[in-house]
Amino acid sequence: MLLTIRRSFVCDFPHAHDIPRPRRSPRLMPSRLLLSFALLIAVPSAFATDLAWPAVRPETKPWTRWWWLGNIADEKSLTASMEACASVGLGGLEITPIYGVHGYEKQFVPFLSPRWVGLLEHTLAEGRRLELGIDLANGTGWPFGGPWVTDRDAAHYLAHRIFEVEAGSSFTQRVAFEQKPVLRFAGPRRVALDTLKQPVATNDNLQELAIDQVRFKTPLPLVSLMAYRDNTGPAIDLTDRVDARGELNWTAPAGSGRWTLYALFLGQHGKMVERAAPGAEGYAIDHLSSTALDHYLARFDEAFAGRDLSGLRAFFNDSYEVDDSEGESDFTPRFFAEFQRLRGYDLRQQLPRFFHGDEQVLSDYRETVSDLLLEQFTQPWRAWANRRGVLIRNQAHNAPANILDLYVASDIPEQEGNGRLAMKLASSAAHLTGKPLAAAEIATWLNEHFLTTLSELKDNADDFFLGGINHVVYHGTALSPADDPWPGFQFYASVELSPANPFWQDFGALNTYVARVQSFLQHGEGDEDVLLYYNIHDRWAERGNGAMPHFGHGRDPIGTSAAATGAALLERGVGFDFISDRLLASAPVSRYRAIVLPDTRHMPVDTLARLVQLASDGATVLVVGELPRRAPGFLGPQRQPEFDRLLAQIRARLERHGDTSIAPVGRGRFILAPDVDALLAASRLPQEKLVSLGLEYVRRRTPEGAAYFLVNRSDRPLDAWVPFNTSADRAAQFEPMTGQLGLAALRKNQDSASHAVSEVYLQLAPGASTIVQFRHDTAQAPAWSYWRANGEAVELREPWQVHFVRGGPQLPADASLTALSSWTDFAGDLGRAFSGTATYTTTFPRPSGGASAFELDLGHVADSARVTLNGRELATLIRAPWRVTIPADQLRDENTLTISVTNLAANRIADLDRRGVTWKKFYNANMPARRRENVGPDGLFTAARWTPRNSGLLGPVKLGVLVPLQPPSTP
């Protein structure tokens, strides 16, 4: 055994396959009251409770990508960074080695060197001590590649030339292709191509050059030469008749017409590893060849031989991203043999159709590339890792493939910030195959450098949760030497999540929130209503410019009409999982209420047969528009009669009902309608009417009952009975920002379709989230506390004593304020340059009269606040409205209120840039600007032109009286 790994963090979450399915209702209750608070602090109760949050473990907490810039590390800095991450509630770190830092060249540690592996062993040992999970990128930067990747194992493309010759004439041209030179850089340095040595990995200044792609001017090897009379088959294979000089001794057969010769060559794509770490610069691998993958992974086996990597949870792949350069990686040396195996015919016999964009042959070509990415890369990579006791965490998006199937082949499918529909490609794969985790890289380029707030991070995390993601990985945290001047090492496309960021001290509040949410979202299993067919063959058959379509990324991540249908379902309160042809053939589908077909032109015969069989067994198939028209691919016409017979079985039973047609098939039915609304009406499929209140949701099936994660995405507070399509005796509410829990007010009802409805009374501020879990057990808990304001809140007018406690570049002097304002106004030049924390302290008497609770409203805060009353910390607030509920028994006759406010790093970084202090010192991508207006004279990000951002406690701070609210019993 070359590699010894013990998994310390096992994904062994429970499932609940036999849980009764919730029922749904269209009943809707309007909002009647104004909500006067955002965050509740649990009021102590005399009642015991055995209601509890699900257990938190390393996977439940958020993780972060841990950038090892230049692999500049030592045991002391690694331990310090890991202890800091553990202290703010992170659950794990994903090590991604990345480019270096100027001035630290002597401290670069070459990737996979013995010293580097020793640092990894230290990290894993510390991870076990600190209960931090550890993942490792299976390379540096992205995609997979390195200096040990040879030309044969590097990414390829298909080059071609077309020749013509008259019948009976001799062929006199050279069959040759000289590759057009390409040289693209990621960094500012430029050199001429003829100054580079070959192989490119032997150049000694690759960190500085940051080459993104290189193709040398070189003759390409011939793969195939096929001759066609009048551009029709059968073709004559002339490949073996071409000599080493490219000369073909051949005379075209006599007769009428012309002969066309198609010469195919193996091109060198030239994609380099982007943002490569020192010692890892080189070509990206050929993702269509398992041989290339084996050769690539052998380097890891060699480096890890005899080393203890206990505790490594997963190897990681940071998305495909080979083709974000000139040309595409769409070929491999064994492509024609694999095509014959997969598609059943010789592509070389159909080259005229292929190069003229025939949709059937083009579809087969694209599907073959997709299959090879699955069979030659994803599956064997997973097998390699699993044999070593390690999982794979795979970002499949941006690949020219059915990434839904790639996610199925991954232990932990992972998405990125490409919209809710794209997220569902990863979560659907997890739901349909029983994978406990669906991951996502979050907080990537959210805002300009140093401007992202904790509030934005919370909203970003919520977006992913609503897409079915339950394991978020921040992007990210740079490993930085302790003695490096502020702001330390930074990665160009990240939110700066490190101790150098002032909000690090309040970051733990967000992480606790995420952990609580994920404790529910990793509990039980996904609970979507319907399956949405991913009609990828329609996209593969589009002629377009003949390029490979890429999925899961960009403006159109889905790439088919399934996107519009999916969006319509979500808008109408119908949750769905995507399902592919492969999944439909094998995955359990009976727990879904229906299978939805978007308007689909091409469908494999086996898929249509499976749908007919499922309908015969009792399934409902909802069809937007018309039934599929044809079998895909060049051999599709051979199976079209079978396809048509299946269609005839459905059409023969169709009964017209206005715009809708219904075909009973066995114990099930097909329903055809022009749009989603008509389908939902005809099928009487229950919809979650709560979406009409501005709520978005994701639902889980848990052993206790249906659990909903809800976010108020409207701009109005919600204070109303909310309908849920389920029936239960009780509903528990869990507040993930504060940890409060209790039994919510619940009443039962039915909608017009006689679906069971449970209505729960909820109070949610704009942007606020909560979890409602319907219960069938007898867990004890106090009743949820509902409040309403009683009269006008009173402003606290005693002077505020301001003390700057941490931050820089220097601490401003203390101040006494009779009126609150930004410290950039009252603290002079030091205040305008300061980023950090200041405490605001005042006193106030107990309000007269009796009250059960009070609401403290901070007005406006820039940008996070910790609230302490009489020495007791009440809450950390990270978003508006900046309010906290205080139980009356926590007030004294005289009270001391301290509010610790932390701003962003923006003002301090702007001060550095105005003074010309060098902190942008990175190779490769040296802090480019996110927004055009922040580009400096050197082409890099600059904050020198920023005006100081308001910072601190801006107020006004008010105290209001709250009285208990009894939810109204009727609408």
Side-chain angles (χ1 to χ4, degrees):
M1 181 67 178
L2 295 178
L3 177 61
T4 303
I5 302 180
R6 182 178 67 252
R7 284 170 53 195
S8 297
F9 302 97
V10 181
C11 299
D12 57 351
F13 304 98
H15 297 280
H17 299 288
D18 299 321
I19 301 168
R21 186 159 175 81
R23 308 186 72 180
R24 297 145 176 83
S25 163
R27 179 75 181 255
L28 172 65
M29 294 304 306
S31 174
R32 295 176 174 272
L33 303 172
L34 292 178
L35 179 63
S36 62
F37 64 95
L39 297 174
L40 290 171
I41 297 299
V43 178
S45 171
F47 296 99
T49 178
D50 53 11
L51 194 68
W53 292 87
V56 170
R57 61 191 98 195
E59 281 91 356
T60 315
K61 299 176 182 179
W63 288 37
T64 189
R65 182 168 302 174
W66 198 19
W67 303 109
W68 283 16
L69 280 84
N71 293 313
I72 300 163
D74 56 65
E75 286 77 4
K76 183 177 179 180
S77 65
L78 289 169
T79 293
S81 181
M82 296 178 73
E83 289 177 343
C85 289
S87 72
V88 294
L90 293 172
L93 304 169
E94 169 222 300
I95 302 169
T96 297
I98 209 74
Y99 52 78
V101 182
H102 288 284
Y104 283 85
E105 289 79 5
K106 293 183 179 179
Q107 294 172 245
F108 288 176
V109 181
F111 181 59
L112 295 183
S113 65
R115 171 61 178 156
W116 189 92
V117 178
L119 293 172
L120 175 61
E121 286 183 304
H122 173 81
T123 298
L124 292 168
E126 289 294 81
R128 295 191 293 272
R129 178 178 69 87
L130 296 168
E131 295 187 343
L132 284 171
I134 302 294
D135 287 355
L136 173 65
N138 238 150
T140 77
W142 59 89
F144 285 7
W148 61 94
V149 176
T150 64
D151 287 355
R152 186 70 176 176
D153 290 339
H156 297 100
Y157 69 97
L158 178 63
H160 74 280
R161 289 187 66 187
I162 301 176
F163 306 93
E164 289 192 346
V165 59
E166 294 289 342
S169 300
S170 297
F171 185 83
T172 59
Q173 301 182 61
R174 286 187 66 233
V175 181
F177 190 106
E178 188 169 71
Q179 181 167 257
K180 175 186 174 183
V182 172
L183 184 57
R184 301 172 67 246
F185 300 91
R189 177 75 187 278
R190 299 290 187 270
V191 298
L193 182 61
D194 59 11
T195 66
L196 294 178
K197 295 184 293 184
Q198 296 189 57
V200 68
T202 60
N203 291 272
D204 58 8
N205 58 342
L206 291 176
Q207 276 292 294
E208 182 180 10
L209 293 179
I211 299 172
D212 184 65
Q213 185 181 20
V214 57
R215 292 182 185 175
F216 293 99
K217 185 177 181 180
T218 185
L220 297 181
L222 179 69
V223 175
S224 179
L225 179 66
M226 307 295 289
Y228 298 79
R229 184 193 292 269
D230 294 330
N231 242 350
T232 60
I236 301 174
D237 188 349
L238 302 176
T239 310
D240 293 339
R241 300 179 66 170
V242 180
D243 66 19
R245 293 172 296 179
E247 295 182 356
L248 171 65
N249 183 14
W250 181 72
T251 299
S256 60
R258 298 168 64 87
W259 284 80
T260 304
L261 279 62
Y262 289 81
L264 310 181
F265 303 86
L266 184 66
Q268 290 298 127
H269 184 273
K271 175 68 175 182
M272 298 280 284
V273 177
E274 286 191 52
R275 322 299 185 221
E281 306 93 341
Y283 287 126
I285 68 166
D286 179 354
H287 285 71
L288 309 182
S289 167
S290 60
T291 300
L293 177 67
D294 289 343
H295 293 166
Y296 176 75
L297 295 175
R299 178 69 185 93
F300 289 85
D301 285 332
E302 177 187 355
F304 295 155
R307 309 303 285 263
D308 179 13
L309 302 189
S310 300
L312 182 62
R313 181 188 72 158
F315 288 111
F316 172 66
N317 176 37
D318 186 8
S319 69
Y320 178 74
E321 298 194 44
V322 177
D323 298 337
D324 55 350
S325 52
E326 183 168 323
E328 297 186 87
S329 177
D330 58 2
F331 200 65
T332 190
R334 283 189 46 79
F335 188 88
F336 290 124
E338 296 293 345
F339 187 98
Q340 176 97 41
R341 175 180 66 85
L342 291 164
R343 304 281 83 85
Y345 66 96
D346 187 351
L347 178 61
R348 296 175 302 165
Q349 291 290 337
Q350 304 301 330
L351 293 179
R353 288 175 175 266
F354 175 62
F355 285 111
H356 288 85
D358 178 90
E359 69 174 30
Q360 295 171 319
V361 178
L362 191 59
S363 176
D364 285 341
Y365 187 87
R366 290 165 168 170
E367 186 173 6
T368 300
V369 170
S370 177
D371 288 346
L372 294 180
L373 268 166
L374 174 66
E375 297 179 5
Q376 301 290 312
F377 174 73
T378 309
Q379 290 174 338
W381 173 44
R382 181 185 186 185
W384 173 84
N386 290 174
R387 285 195 301 271
R388 288 149 182 82
V390 184
L391 305 174
I392 64 165
R393 207 177 100 235
N394 185 30
Q395 291 188 354
H397 57 270
N398 207 41
N402 187 335
I403 65 173
L404 186 56
D405 289 337
L406 301 189
Y407 284 138
V408 168
S410 309
D411 294 307
I412 304 175
E414 177 163 309
Q415 246 292 337
E416 199 180 321
N418 301 304
R420 189 169 174 187
L421 292 177
M423 298 171 206
K424 291 184 75 66
L425 289 169
S427 62
S428 297
H431 293 165
L432 283 161
T433 56
K435 293 177 172 62
L437 299 179
E441 167 195 316
I442 75 169
T444 305
W445 278 102
L446 276 190
N447 203 330
E448 185 57 275
H449 297 295
F450 306 102
L451 289 183
T452 301
T453 64
L454 290 171
S455 176
E456 289 174 306
L457 286 170
K458 187 263 185 189
D459 291 344
N460 187 239
D462 287 346
D463 287 341
F464 286 92
F465 296 148
L466 292 168
I469 299 300
N470 62 4
H471 182 45
V472 298
V473 182
Y474 297 123
H475 187 280
T477 301
L479 174 64
S480 186
D483 58 354
D484 194 68
W486 191 91
F489 291 1
Q490 302 290 339
F491 182 71
Y492 79 98
S494 290
V495 176
E496 293 80 11
L497 299 177
S498 74
N501 194 316
F503 69 40
W504 184 261
Q505 69 161 10
D506 294 337
F507 185 35
L510 173 65
N511 295 332
T512 299
Y513 166 83
V514 170
R516 286 175 178 145
V517 173
Q518 291 189 160
S519 73
F520 264 101
L521 298 185
Q522 292 177 15
H523 183 47
E525 61 184 6
D527 186 26
E528 305 292 3
D529 299 291
V530 301
L531 290 167
L532 177 59
Y533 176 63
Y534 189 21
N535 53 336
I536 197 168
H537 283 90
D538 280 359
R539 181 67 181 89
W540 280 336
E542 289 182 9
R543 295 189 66 169
N545 59 5
M548 296 296 302
H550 293 246
F551 299 91
H553 208 290
R555 295 181 179 179
D556 186 17
I558 306 305
T560 76
S561 60
T565 301
L569 289 170
L570 293 178
E571 289 171 2
R572 290 154 180 77
V574 179
F576 71 88
D577 280 328
F578 284 112
I579 192 162
S580 67
D581 298 288
R582 276 189 175 88
L583 277 170
L584 193 61
S586 59
V589 300
S590 59
R591 60 190 173 104
Y592 294 87
R593 295 183 178 276
I595 301 168
V596 180
L597 304 186
D599 187 29
T600 299
R601 182 183 176 196
H602 300 87
M603 177 180 284
V605 176
D606 292 343
T607 298
L608 182 59
R610 173 68 169 154
L611 289 172
V612 171
Q613 181 60 53
L614 288 170
S616 297
D617 293 340
T620 296
V621 181
L622 306 179
V623 182
V624 179
E626 300 179 31
L627 289 164
R629 284 71 143 182
R630 61 187 297 181
F634 179 69
L635 299 183
Q638 296 182 17
R639 300 196 69 183
Q640 192 65 33
E642 181 182 358
F643 193 90
D644 292 339
R645 283 195 297 273
L646 291 166
L647 290 177
Q649 292 181 37
I650 305 169
R651 289 171 176 156
R653 295 173 171 83
L654 282 174
E655 301 172 357
R656 194 79 175 176
H657 301 274
D659 290 338
T660 304
S661 298
I662 301 176
V665 177
R667 292 185 288 112
R669 55 185 178 164
F670 280 75
I671 303 178
L672 284 66
D675 54 42
V676 168
D677 286 326
L679 281 176
L680 295 179
S683 65
R684 301 174 69 85
L685 192 72
Q687 302 166 242
E688 292 283 5
K689 296 298 184 181
L690 56 85
V691 297
S692 65
L693 297 174
L695 293 171
E696 295 186 21
Y697 74 98
V698 65
R699 190 176 61 234
R700 300 282 292 183
R701 301 172 71 196
T702 74
E704 298 81 9
Y708 291 73
F709 171 73
L710 302 157
V711 182
N712 180 7
R713 285 297 176 82
S714 75
D715 57 1
R716 301 182 305 277
L718 174 72
D719 196 328
W721 288 101
V722 176
F724 295 84
N725 290 344
T726 189
S727 177
D729 297 327
R730 296 187 304 167
Q733 186 173 350
F734 297 79
E735 168 49 63
M737 189 60 75
T738 65
Q740 180 186 1
L741 53 82
L743 294 177
L746 177 145
R747 66 187 187 190
K748 295 183 179 181
N749 210 328
Q750 283 187 334
D751 66 6
S752 58
S754 298
H755 296 296
V757 173
S758 294
E759 295 178 340
V760 176
Y761 203 82
L762 295 178
Q763 296 177 315
L764 284 177
S769 52
T770 196
I771 295 162
V772 175
Q773 184 184 50
F774 293 91
R775 314 278 298 199
H776 303 289
D777 58 21
T778 57
Q780 298 299 307
W784 188 265
S785 298
Y786 299 97
W787 303 101
R788 66 174 177 84
N790 186 20
E792 294 294 323
V794 177
E795 184 175 354
L796 302 185
R797 296 189 177 275
E798 292 297 317
W800 292 88
Q801 307 307 312
V802 183
H803 174 56
F804 293 88
V805 295
R806 69 178 66 85
Q810 297 181 54
L811 297 180
D814 292 353
S816 180
L817 304 179
T818 56
L820 292 170
S821 64
S822 171
W823 69 52
T824 59
D825 295 330
F826 69 76
D829 290 341
L830 291 182
R832 285 185 282 277
F834 180 75
S835 290
T837 302
T839 60
Y840 293 71
T841 302
T842 192
T843 59
F844 65 93
R846 179 196 296 272
S848 59
S852 299
F854 298 89
E855 179 184 79
L856 179 67
D857 185 345
L858 305 187
H860 182 62
V861 171
D863 290 280
S864 60
R866 292 190 181 194
V867 180
T868 301
L869 179 66
N870 299 323
R872 177 179 179 179
E873 186 171 313
L874 296 183
T876 298
L877 306 180
I878 64 172
R879 62 169 295 125
W882 306 93
R883 298 169 184 164
V884 60
T885 298
I886 306 173
D889 60 7
Q890 291 187 15
L891 291 186
R892 303 172 182 171
D893 292 339
E894 289 294 327
N895 299 276
T896 299
L897 176 65
T898 299
I899 302 171
S900 298
V901 182
T902 301
N903 70 341
L904 301 180
N907 290 346
R908 187 173 179 182
I909 209 74
D911 174 67
L912 287 183
D913 284 346
R914 281 192 290 269
R915 292 190 285 117
V917 176
T918 298
W919 63 272
K920 298 183 283 288
K921 54 195 176 187
F922 310 105
Y923 283 96
N924 203 294
N926 190 17
M927 304 303 289
R930 183 77 169 88
R931 297 174 178 169
R932 185 180 299 274
E933 63 266 25
N934 297 320
V935 177
D938 58 359
L940 304 179
F941 161 78
T942 181
R945 297 186 292 270
W946 289 357
T947 57
R949 287 174 51 91
N950 284 342
S951 301
L953 180 60
L954 307 180
V957 179
K958 297 180 180 180
L959 190 67
V961 173
L962 297 177
V963 295
L965 169 68
Q966 180 64 39
S969 59
T970 58

